[in-house]
Amino acid sequence: MFEAAPIVAESKSALYKELVAQARALLEGEPDRIANAANLSALAYQALPDLNWAGFYFFDGVELVLGPFQGKPACVRIPLNRGVCGAAASQRQTQLVPDVHAFPGHIACDAASRSEIVVPLVHQGELIGVWDVDSPVPDRFDEDDRQGMQALCAVFLDSLR
């Protein structure tokens, strides 16, 4: 059984480097999308400070549908033209939002969320969903988080071969 080692890092980029290494070890050899999404959600939620939600929404061809996550119960379906997740999916660009209340059309699944980062998941040219991470801390996410979250998502996407 895999057991994540506690991460003690001197910098945020070092933290993500270690987290990506743990994610690779955790997902290695397992092609199941749901199992890997569940484990990656749990790993990130436990390792990264100041989060209140971390998880996946998968694209069903019409809208985003809730997948494995850690945190409070969440919105089940998100149209591609709504909220931060919809913007990331439709634009296929990572959305880094310092204040969710200032984001037009923000969907408040958890009223405690104040900032958010969403990475689109594109596999073999097709949108498969988004990786969504929320924090109760305003302006919690920065460029190091963007790069780190995108690296974690690359590990997840590589597991889908």
Side-chain angles (χ1 to χ4, degrees):
M1 182 170 160
F2 178 87
E3 188 168 329
I7 300 174
V8 179
E10 294 180 19
S11 69
K12 197 183 287 188
S13 60
L15 172 93
Y16 276 108
K17 185 176 180 181
E18 180 61 29
L19 191 56
V20 165
Q22 286 190 8
R24 276 195 190 102
L26 182 60
L27 277 54
E28 183 178 9
E30 179 53 63
D32 188 85
R33 174 174 78 163
I34 301 302
N36 287 341
N39 271 333
L40 188 60
S41 298
L43 180 67
Y45 191 78
Q46 295 301 313
L48 296 171
D50 299 321
L51 304 184
N52 62 328
W53 204 90
F56 290 83
Y57 279 91
F58 291 119
F59 184 55
D60 71 356
V62 176
E63 59 193 348
L64 297 168
V65 181
L66 182 64
F69 70 92
Q70 297 284 305
K72 291 183 179 181
C75 304
V76 175
R77 296 181 179 275
I78 299 176
L80 293 187
N81 63 349
R82 297 261 338 267
V84 182
C85 289
S90 62
Q91 297 171 20
R92 293 190 181 193
Q93 292 181 346
T94 298
Q95 303 292 307
L96 196 154
V97 181
D99 178 3
V100 295
H101 300 298
F103 190 91
H106 175 253
I107 302 168
C109 295
D110 181 351
S113 292
R114 295 293 310 276
S115 58
E116 185 171 8
I117 185 168
V118 181
V119 179
L121 301 170
V122 179
H123 182 63
Q124 298 176 348
E126 298 293 321
L127 176 71
I128 63 162
V130 298
W131 165 246
D132 179 21
V133 182
D134 294 4
S135 174
V137 177
D139 204 20
R140 157 64 179 84
F141 305 106
D142 60 17
E143 191 57 34
D144 286 334
D145 293 296
R146 178 192 308 266
Q147 292 175 15
M149 296 288 184
Q150 289 174 337
L152 283 173
C153 290
V155 172
F156 174 76
L157 291 168
D158 285 346
S159 76
L160 301 179
R161 296 179 190 185

